[in-house]
Amino acid sequence: MRILLTGSSGWLGRFLAPMLRARGDVVTGLDVAPGPDTQVIGSVADRALVDRVFAEHGIEAVIHAGALHKPDIVRYPAQAFVDVNVTGTLNLLEAAVAAGHERFVFTSTTSLMISQAIRAELADHAVWLDEASGPLEPRNIYGVTKLAAEQLCRLAHLENGLNCVVLRTSRFFPEEDDTHRALSGENMKANELLHRRLTVEDAARAHIAALDRAPGIGFGSFILSAPTPFDRGECDELKRDAPAVIARYFPDAPALYASKGWELPKSIGRVYDAMLAGKLLGFRCEADFGSVLESLRKNTPLPFAHDPNYVSPKETAGVG
């Protein structure tokens, strides 16, 4: 397939583009910042540019991974989020419909599922989140615009028959968390693989699975996260005493963590359930919390990337 990949210079794009090419796809990368997998420099908010790319490169399918993200809130006005995340998505959808496409994959986020109450962990139990969770009350402009873009994908399917798969990815960024610094970055990422993270490699593989399954799905929205070992019946205890629950599944986790100088989470306030992606996309993340413990046992590299110095290419290129 001749695929348009937006966000090709970003963290996901640098892993996804080579995977697509390795299986024989022709990838045209579109990004506001230059990169080794980016052939077209520009914004998805520029409709004339989008139309030109479709025409000149014979695009047959779209993976729309380009966006302004949550850390960008401090750098860009709300209108920029609307322009890029909403208008940009509409531009791509309309171009795909006009071209008669049958595959459109949209990179969304689990962040839009997190209300202020969930983020503050006000409940006396861990909140179990799956595709049926709601009502959705995004807490910032990032989540609001991503939810709006998801709805545009749904409309494109309903009104025009475009097969759209929405992937609500949990965390896979390599940098430090921009709000929580109680634990080291590696310790936090390892903990999050229990309930709210996946590796960037798994995120890329999931996009390929979605691309392949799109015609058979029509429209679907899926949570992407490493498989959690927990079940809904443990939500009360996860909030009250997470280490006890973790130790039932991974008896040597406390000792392995102690040898690394790490801490297990004392309390878990939310859990992402990615089972639907397994059932309908045939996708399951390869790396999980067990992979972390195996790395600690064998003293091998951790299964996730951690780069405290990572900066988005659009910032290093001075695009903003």
Side-chain angles (χ1 to χ4, degrees), residues 294-318:
E294 187 65 11
S295 296
L296 296 182
R297 292 186 196 103
K298 296 182 177 179
N299 195 28
T300 56
L302 293 166
F304 55 82
H306 175 65
D307 181 2
N309 298 313
Y310 178 82
V311 179
S312 168
K314 73 179 186 306
E315 304 307 317
T316 57

PDB file of all heavy atoms in Angstrom, residues 294-318:
ATOM      1  N   GLU A 294      11.539  -9.774  34.191  1.00  0.00           N
ATOM      2  CA  GLU A 294      12.485 -10.679  33.547  1.00  0.00           C
ATOM      3  C   GLU A 294      13.800  -9.961  33.258  1.00  0.00           C
ATOM      4  O   GLU A 294      14.889 -10.537  33.417  1.00  0.00           O
ATOM      5  CB  GLU A 294      11.885 -11.225  32.254  1.00  0.00           C
ATOM      6  CG  GLU A 294      12.704 -12.310  31.579  1.00  0.00           C
ATOM      7  CD  GLU A 294      12.798 -13.590  32.400  1.00  0.00           C
ATOM      8  OE1 GLU A 294      12.071 -13.747  33.419  1.00  0.00           O
ATOM      9  OE2 GLU A 294      13.606 -14.463  32.024  1.00  0.00           O
ATOM     10  N   SER A 295      13.722  -8.693  32.858  1.00  0.00           N
ATOM     11  CA  SER A 295      14.937  -7.910  32.626  1.00  0.00           C
ATOM     12  C   SER A 295      15.715  -7.710  33.918  1.00  0.00           C
ATOM     13  O   SER A 295      16.950  -7.761  33.929  1.00  0.00           O
ATOM     14  CB  SER A 295      14.576  -6.555  32.020  1.00  0.00           C
ATOM     15  OG  SER A 295      13.994  -6.701  30.742  1.00  0.00           O
ATOM     16  N   LEU A 296      14.994  -7.492  35.015  1.00  0.00           N
ATOM     17  CA  LEU A 296      15.669  -7.313  36.297  1.00  0.00           C
ATOM     18  C   LEU A 296      16.317  -8.623  36.755  1.00  0.00           C
ATOM     19  O   LEU A 296      17.425  -8.607  37.306  1.00  0.00           O
ATOM     20  CB  LEU A 296      14.680  -6.819  37.345  1.00  0.00           C
ATOM     21  CG  LEU A 296      14.053  -5.438  37.104  1.00  0.00           C
ATOM     22  CD1 LEU A 296      13.133  -5.058  38.253  1.00  0.00           C
ATOM     23  CD2 LEU A 296      15.129  -4.377  36.919  1.00  0.00           C
ATOM     24  N   ARG A 297      15.649  -9.723  36.507  1.00  0.00           N
ATOM     25  CA  ARG A 297      16.225 -11.019  36.904  1.00  0.00           C
ATOM     26  C   ARG A 297      17.521 -11.305  36.150  1.00  0.00           C
ATOM     27  O   ARG A 297      18.491 -11.805  36.710  1.00  0.00           O
ATOM     28  CB  ARG A 297      15.232 -12.155  36.636  1.00  0.00           C
ATOM     29  CG  ARG A 297      14.004 -12.157  37.497  1.00  0.00           C
ATOM     30  CD  ARG A 297      13.163 -13.407  37.243  1.00  0.00           C
ATOM     31  NE  ARG A 297      11.820 -13.252  37.783  1.00  0.00           N
ATOM     32  CZ  ARG A 297      10.739 -12.988  37.046  1.00  0.00           C
ATOM     33  NH1 ARG A 297      10.858 -12.881  35.729  1.00  0.00           N
ATOM     34  NH2 ARG A 297       9.565 -12.847  37.620  1.00  0.00           N
ATOM     35  N   LYS A 298      17.526 -10.993  34.867  1.00  0.00           N
ATOM     36  CA  LYS A 298      18.653 -11.344  34.009  1.00  0.00           C
ATOM     37  C   LYS A 298      19.650 -10.199  33.826  1.00  0.00           C
ATOM     38  O   LYS A 298      20.667 -10.363  33.146  1.00  0.00           O
ATOM     39  CB  LYS A 298      18.137 -11.785  32.635  1.00  0.00           C
ATOM     40  CG  LYS A 298      17.298 -13.042  32.682  1.00  0.00           C
ATOM     41  CD  LYS A 298      16.848 -13.457  31.286  1.00  0.00           C
ATOM     42  CE  LYS A 298      16.074 -14.757  31.308  1.00  0.00           C
ATOM     43  NZ  LYS A 298      15.623 -15.146  29.941  1.00  0.00           N
ATOM     44  N   ASN A 299      19.337  -9.049  34.423  1.00  0.00           N
ATOM     45  CA  ASN A 299      20.189  -7.872  34.275  1.00  0.00           C
ATOM     46  C   ASN A 299      20.405  -7.518  32.806  1.00  0.00           C
ATOM     47  O   ASN A 299      21.524  -7.265  32.349  1.00  0.00           O
ATOM     48  CB  ASN A 299      21.543  -8.093  34.967  1.00  0.00           C
ATOM     49  CG  ASN A 299      22.312  -6.791  35.153  1.00  0.00           C
ATOM     50  OD1 ASN A 299      21.720  -5.719  35.268  1.00  0.00           O
ATOM     51  ND2 ASN A 299      23.635  -6.874  35.159  1.00  0.00           N
ATOM     52  N   THR A 300      19.317  -7.528  32.057  1.00  0.00           N
ATOM     53  CA  THR A 300      19.327  -7.150  30.644  1.00  0.00           C
ATOM     54  C   THR A 300      18.600  -5.820  30.476  1.00  0.00           C
ATOM     55  O   THR A 300      17.930  -5.347  31.400  1.00  0.00           O
ATOM     56  CB  THR A 300      18.658  -8.243  29.792  1.00  0.00           C
ATOM     57  OG1 THR A 300      17.331  -8.487  30.290  1.00  0.00           O
ATOM     58  CG2 THR A 300      19.467  -9.532  29.841  1.00  0.00           C
ATOM     59  N   PRO A 301      18.704  -5.185  29.310  1.00  0.00           N
ATOM     60  CA  PRO A 301      18.043  -3.889  29.114  1.00  0.00           C
ATOM     61  C   PRO A 301      16.539  -3.962  29.356  1.00  0.00           C
ATOM     62  O   PRO A 301      15.888  -4.962  29.040  1.00  0.00           O
ATOM     63  CB  PRO A 301      18.352  -3.555  27.651  1.00  0.00           C
ATOM     64  CG  PRO A 301      19.632  -4.270  27.370  1.00  0.00           C
ATOM     65  CD  PRO A 301      19.551  -5.546  28.149  1.00  0.00           C
ATOM     66  N   LEU A 302      16.011  -2.901  29.914  1.00  0.00           N
ATOM     67  CA  LEU A 302      14.577  -2.829  30.172  1.00  0.00           C
ATOM     68  C   LEU A 302      13.814  -2.829  28.849  1.00  0.00           C
ATOM     69  O   LEU A 302      14.337  -2.388  27.820  1.00  0.00           O
ATOM     70  CB  LEU A 302      14.260  -1.568  30.978  1.00  0.00           C
ATOM     71  CG  LEU A 302      14.814  -1.573  32.410  1.00  0.00           C
ATOM     72  CD1 LEU A 302      14.762  -0.178  33.021  1.00  0.00           C
ATOM     73  CD2 LEU A 302      14.030  -2.562  33.274  1.00  0.00           C
ATOM     74  N   PRO A 303      12.566  -3.300  28.847  1.00  0.00           N
ATOM     75  CA  PRO A 303      11.827  -3.444  27.591  1.00  0.00           C
ATOM     76  C   PRO A 303      11.222  -2.158  27.057  1.00  0.00           C
ATOM     77  O   PRO A 303      10.555  -2.178  26.012  1.00  0.00           O
ATOM     78  CB  PRO A 303      10.726  -4.448  27.966  1.00  0.00           C
ATOM     79  CG  PRO A 303      10.478  -4.191  29.415  1.00  0.00           C
ATOM     80  CD  PRO A 303      11.835  -3.882  29.989  1.00  0.00           C
ATOM     81  N   PHE A 304      11.451  -1.054  27.728  1.00  0.00           N
ATOM     82  CA  PHE A 304      10.896   0.219  27.280  1.00  0.00           C
ATOM     83  C   PHE A 304      12.006   1.255  27.155  1.00  0.00           C
ATOM     84  O   PHE A 304      13.076   1.116  27.760  1.00  0.00           O
ATOM     85  CB  PHE A 304       9.824   0.733  28.255  1.00  0.00           C
ATOM     86  CG  PHE A 304      10.302   0.854  29.680  1.00  0.00           C
ATOM     87  CD1 PHE A 304      11.028   1.952  30.118  1.00  0.00           C
ATOM     88  CD2 PHE A 304      10.027  -0.155  30.593  1.00  0.00           C
ATOM     89  CE1 PHE A 304      11.467   2.052  31.421  1.00  0.00           C
ATOM     90  CE2 PHE A 304      10.465  -0.073  31.913  1.00  0.00           C
ATOM     91  CZ  PHE A 304      11.196   1.039  32.324  1.00  0.00           C
ATOM     92  N   ALA A 305      11.748   2.275  26.365  1.00  0.00           N
ATOM     93  CA  ALA A 305      12.725   3.343  26.186  1.00  0.00           C
ATOM     94  C   ALA A 305      12.517   4.424  27.238  1.00  0.00           C
ATOM     95  O   ALA A 305      11.386   4.791  27.553  1.00  0.00           O
ATOM     96  CB  ALA A 305      12.576   3.953  24.789  1.00  0.00           C
ATOM     97  N   HIS A 306      13.633   4.915  27.765  1.00  0.00           N
ATOM     98  CA  HIS A 306      13.571   6.043  28.693  1.00  0.00           C
ATOM     99  C   HIS A 306      14.653   7.033  28.307  1.00  0.00           C
ATOM    100  O   HIS A 306      15.840   6.697  28.280  1.00  0.00           O
ATOM    101  CB  HIS A 306      13.778   5.592  30.143  1.00  0.00           C
ATOM    102  CG  HIS A 306      13.846   6.735  31.114  1.00  0.00           C
ATOM    103  ND1 HIS A 306      12.770   7.570  31.349  1.00  0.00           N
ATOM    104  CD2 HIS A 306      14.864   7.204  31.884  1.00  0.00           C
ATOM    105  CE1 HIS A 306      13.121   8.494  32.227  1.00  0.00           C
ATOM    106  NE2 HIS A 306      14.385   8.287  32.569  1.00  0.00           N
ATOM    107  N   ASP A 307      14.229   8.233  27.962  1.00  0.00           N
ATOM    108  CA  ASP A 307      15.169   9.277  27.550  1.00  0.00           C
ATOM    109  C   ASP A 307      14.747  10.596  28.181  1.00  0.00           C
ATOM    110  O   ASP A 307      13.888  11.308  27.655  1.00  0.00           O
ATOM    111  CB  ASP A 307      15.192   9.403  26.031  1.00  0.00           C
ATOM    112  CG  ASP A 307      16.174  10.468  25.553  1.00  0.00           C
ATOM    113  OD1 ASP A 307      16.867  11.077  26.401  1.00  0.00           O
ATOM    114  OD2 ASP A 307      16.233  10.708  24.329  1.00  0.00           O
ATOM    115  N   PRO A 308      15.333  10.939  29.341  1.00  0.00           N
ATOM    116  CA  PRO A 308      14.935  12.174  30.021  1.00  0.00           C
ATOM    117  C   PRO A 308      15.254  13.425  29.229  1.00  0.00           C
ATOM    118  O   PRO A 308      14.724  14.503  29.525  1.00  0.00           O
ATOM    119  CB  PRO A 308      15.729  12.124  31.331  1.00  0.00           C
ATOM    120  CG  PRO A 308      16.880  11.210  31.054  1.00  0.00           C
ATOM    121  CD  PRO A 308      16.371  10.198  30.081  1.00  0.00           C
ATOM    122  N   ASN A 309      16.088  13.301  28.208  1.00  0.00           N
ATOM    123  CA  ASN A 309      16.468  14.469  27.408  1.00  0.00           C
ATOM    124  C   ASN A 309      15.691  14.573  26.095  1.00  0.00           C
ATOM    125  O   ASN A 309      15.976  15.442  25.270  1.00  0.00           O
ATOM    126  CB  ASN A 309      17.965  14.412  27.099  1.00  0.00           C
ATOM    127  CG  ASN A 309      18.818  14.463  28.354  1.00  0.00           C
ATOM    128  OD1 ASN A 309      18.594  15.291  29.227  1.00  0.00           O
ATOM    129  ND2 ASN A 309      19.785  13.565  28.454  1.00  0.00           N
ATOM    130  N   TYR A 310      14.724  13.696  25.899  1.00  0.00           N
ATOM    131  CA  TYR A 310      13.959  13.722  24.644  1.00  0.00           C
ATOM    132  C   TYR A 310      13.168  15.020  24.523  1.00  0.00           C
ATOM    133  O   TYR A 310      12.520  15.474  25.474  1.00  0.00           O
ATOM    134  CB  TYR A 310      12.998  12.539  24.576  1.00  0.00           C
ATOM    135  CG  TYR A 310      12.146  12.550  23.320  1.00  0.00           C
ATOM    136  CD1 TYR A 310      12.631  12.058  22.121  1.00  0.00           C
ATOM    137  CD2 TYR A 310      10.855  13.087  23.340  1.00  0.00           C
ATOM    138  CE1 TYR A 310      11.861  12.073  20.972  1.00  0.00           C
ATOM    139  CE2 TYR A 310      10.071  13.106  22.190  1.00  0.00           C
ATOM    140  CZ  TYR A 310      10.578  12.603  21.015  1.00  0.00           C
ATOM    141  OH  TYR A 310       9.815  12.642  19.864  1.00  0.00           O
ATOM    142  N   VAL A 311      13.230  15.603  23.343  1.00  0.00           N
ATOM    143  CA  VAL A 311      12.458  16.794  23.012  1.00  0.00           C
ATOM    144  C   VAL A 311      11.796  16.554  21.668  1.00  0.00           C
ATOM    145  O   VAL A 311      12.419  16.016  20.737  1.00  0.00           O
ATOM    146  CB  VAL A 311      13.348  18.051  22.942  1.00  0.00           C
ATOM    147  CG1 VAL A 311      12.516  19.275  22.561  1.00  0.00           C
ATOM    148  CG2 VAL A 311      14.062  18.279  24.266  1.00  0.00           C
ATOM    149  N   SER A 312      10.551  16.933  21.537  1.00  0.00           N
ATOM    150  CA  SER A 312       9.826  16.746  20.280  1.00  0.00           C
ATOM    151  C   SER A 312      10.571  17.415  19.136  1.00  0.00           C
ATOM    152  O   SER A 312      11.074  18.537  19.271  1.00  0.00           O
ATOM    153  CB  SER A 312       8.426  17.349  20.397  1.00  0.00           C
ATOM    154  OG  SER A 312       7.800  17.425  19.139  1.00  0.00           O
ATOM    155  N   PRO A 313      10.667  16.752  17.973  1.00  0.00           N
ATOM    156  CA  PRO A 313      11.366  17.333  16.828  1.00  0.00           C
ATOM    157  C   PRO A 313      10.840  18.700  16.414  1.00  0.00           C
ATOM    158  O   PRO A 313      11.594  19.545  15.942  1.00  0.00           O
ATOM    159  CB  PRO A 313      11.147  16.293  15.714  1.00  0.00           C
ATOM    160  CG  PRO A 313      10.986  15.016  16.442  1.00  0.00           C
ATOM    161  CD  PRO A 313      10.238  15.366  17.690  1.00  0.00           C
ATOM    162  N   LYS A 314       9.538  18.931  16.598  1.00  0.00           N
ATOM    163  CA  LYS A 314       9.004  20.231  16.195  1.00  0.00           C
ATOM    164  C   LYS A 314       9.538  21.349  17.079  1.00  0.00           C
ATOM    165  O   LYS A 314       9.629  22.505  16.649  1.00  0.00           O
ATOM    166  CB  LYS A 314       7.472  20.212  16.222  1.00  0.00           C
ATOM    167  CG  LYS A 314       6.830  20.226  17.581  1.00  0.00           C
ATOM    168  CD  LYS A 314       5.310  20.230  17.458  1.00  0.00           C
ATOM    169  CE  LYS A 314       4.641  20.397  18.815  1.00  0.00           C
ATOM    170  NZ  LYS A 314       5.076  19.408  19.826  1.00  0.00           N
ATOM    171  N   GLU A 315       9.922  21.008  18.317  1.00  0.00           N
ATOM    172  CA  GLU A 315      10.508  22.026  19.203  1.00  0.00           C
ATOM    173  C   GLU A 315      11.989  22.242  18.880  1.00  0.00           C
ATOM    174  O   GLU A 315      12.462  23.382  18.864  1.00  0.00           O
ATOM    175  CB  GLU A 315      10.334  21.617  20.653  1.00  0.00           C
ATOM    176  CG  GLU A 315       8.885  21.355  21.069  1.00  0.00           C
ATOM    177  CD  GLU A 315       7.974  22.515  20.740  1.00  0.00           C
ATOM    178  OE1 GLU A 315       8.355  23.681  20.974  1.00  0.00           O
ATOM    179  OE2 GLU A 315       6.867  22.266  20.240  1.00  0.00           O
ATOM    180  N   THR A 316      12.714  21.154  18.626  1.00  0.00           N
ATOM    181  CA  THR A 316      14.134  21.308  18.305  1.00  0.00           C
ATOM    182  C   THR A 316      14.313  22.006  16.959  1.00  0.00           C
ATOM    183  O   THR A 316      15.316  22.676  16.732  1.00  0.00           O
ATOM    184  CB  THR A 316      14.838  19.946  18.263  1.00  0.00           C
ATOM    185  OG1 THR A 316      14.184  19.091  17.305  1.00  0.00           O
ATOM    186  CG2 THR A 316      14.781  19.268  19.631  1.00  0.00           C
ATOM    187  N   ALA A 317      13.299  21.837  16.072  1.00  0.00           N
ATOM    188  CA  ALA A 317      13.378  22.495  14.762  1.00  0.00           C
ATOM    189  C   ALA A 317      12.863  23.927  14.809  1.00  0.00           C
ATOM    190  O   ALA A 317      12.935  24.652  13.807  1.00  0.00           O
ATOM    191  CB  ALA A 317      12.581  21.697  13.727  1.00  0.00           C
ATOM    192  N   GLY A 318      12.331  24.328  15.973  1.00  0.00           N
ATOM    193  CA  GLY A 318      11.844  25.694  16.102  1.00  0.00           C
ATOM    194  C   GLY A 318      10.570  25.965  15.316  1.00  0.00           C
ATOM    195  O   GLY A 318      10.300  27.104  14.915  1.00  0.00           O
TER     196      GLY A 318
END
